[in-house]
Amino acid sequence: MLEINLIPKEERKGRHNIPIGPFSIILVFAGLIVVMILLYLNNMRVINKLTGDLAKVTEDKKRYVRFDQEYQALNNQLKEIDKKFQILSKLDKGRTFAPKLMEDVLIRLPLNTWLLSFDLNRNNLRIQGSGMNNYLISDFAESLERSEFFQAIEIGEVKEKKEKIGEQDTLTSSFELSCTIKPDFR
């Protein structure tokens, strides 16, 4: 069935007689308020989460501060121990230097050559001795130059003289060597 409304448009009662202008403004404000409430609630959730994270980080920081203090204390102890080891190594180096030096010189001493004096100063070593000939003395000086202890070997005075060795009179050469000790061993 078909219905026709013959009442003029101005006089007709509409089903929807709600003013659209003021209603739309109210809907927009209500929508904005809902959006603002949702943003506020979301921001509060984020703030609460970050506050919890900050509390946890603060707790961790307190724990790590304690670990850092322990680390610093252990590091200071390690430095003290290292200083003591350095002192001990210097003492050990000084204590064993002279015997090692003498051993090195004696190993390099050729046969038929002997030492009469061995004078060790801070940086220098003066050796006096005798040998059966000048070649042995020069071999001894060259051998000392290859040593890890010395850097400059100088042959000083060399004198030949007759000495009685056993039952025979033998021509020997007395010598004097000066050696400079390398800076690593001073």
Side-chain angles (χ1 to χ4, degrees):
M1 153 159 140
L2 185 67
E3 270 185 49
I4 299 175
N5 194 350
L6 298 174
I7 302 175
K9 232 179 181 180
E10 295 89 29
E11 291 179 17
R12 271 191 233 166
K13 285 186 176 180
R15 290 186 209 168
H16 303 290
N17 205 7
I18 300 172
I20 294 178
F23 185 70
S24 63
I25 292 174
I26 292 172
L27 281 177
V28 168
F29 278 130
L32 285 174
I33 289 173
V34 169
V35 168
M36 289 169 63
I37 289 172
L38 289 175
L39 285 173
Y40 175 77
L41 291 175
N42 185 44
N43 286 342
M44 289 305 293
R45 182 186 58 82
V46 170
I47 288 172
N48 287 336
K49 181 181 181 283
L50 291 176
T51 304
D53 290 347
L54 180 64
K56 183 181 177 196
V57 167
T58 305
E59 249 181 68
D60 289 346
K61 180 183 173 191
K62 287 178 185 176
R63 192 174 78 220
Y64 291 134
V65 165
R66 183 174 48 96
F67 289 142
D68 186 50
Q69 290 171 346
E70 290 175 8
Y71 171 77
Q72 293 299 329
L74 289 174
N75 199 20
N76 289 338
Q77 287 177 351
L78 185 62
K79 287 179 183 176
E80 298 257 340
I81 290 171
D82 190 39
K83 285 180 187 177
K84 290 177 183 178
F85 273 125
Q86 288 176 356
I87 291 171
L88 287 174
S89 69
K90 284 181 183 178
L91 288 174
D92 187 44
K93 182 179 176 182
R95 183 175 55 124
T96 60
F97 171 69
K100 286 181 180 179
L101 180 74
M102 289 181 69
E103 179 184 22
D104 188 58
V105 169
L106 291 176
I107 287 172
R108 296 175 188 285
L109 188 67
L111 292 174
N112 296 323
T113 308
W114 53 96
L115 301 179
L116 301 173
S117 73
F118 194 84
D119 185 24
L120 177 62
N121 278 341
R122 187 172 190 83
N123 300 335
N124 297 318
L125 174 66
R126 193 173 60 93
I127 301 171
Q128 291 180 338
S130 293
M132 294 300 283
N133 58 45
N134 291 341
Y135 297 115
L136 293 174
I137 297 168
S138 65
D139 286 346
F140 181 50
E142 287 175 6
S143 178
L144 287 177
E145 284 179 347
R146 291 187 297 270
S147 171
E148 65 180 301
F149 293 103
F150 306 113
Q151 64 183 7
I153 312 294
E154 293 180 18
I155 299 175
E157 187 177 346
V158 177
K159 294 180 186 174
E160 289 188 353
K161 61 181 178 180
K162 281 192 175 188
E163 288 188 40
K164 187 166 189 156
I165 298 177
E167 299 278 326
Q168 296 180 338
D169 284 337
T170 308
L171 188 62
T172 62
S173 298
S174 63
F175 63 92
E176 185 174 311
L177 292 175
S178 297
C179 309
T180 304
I181 298 172
K182 289 184 180 176
D184 297 342
F185 299 101
R186 293 180 188 171

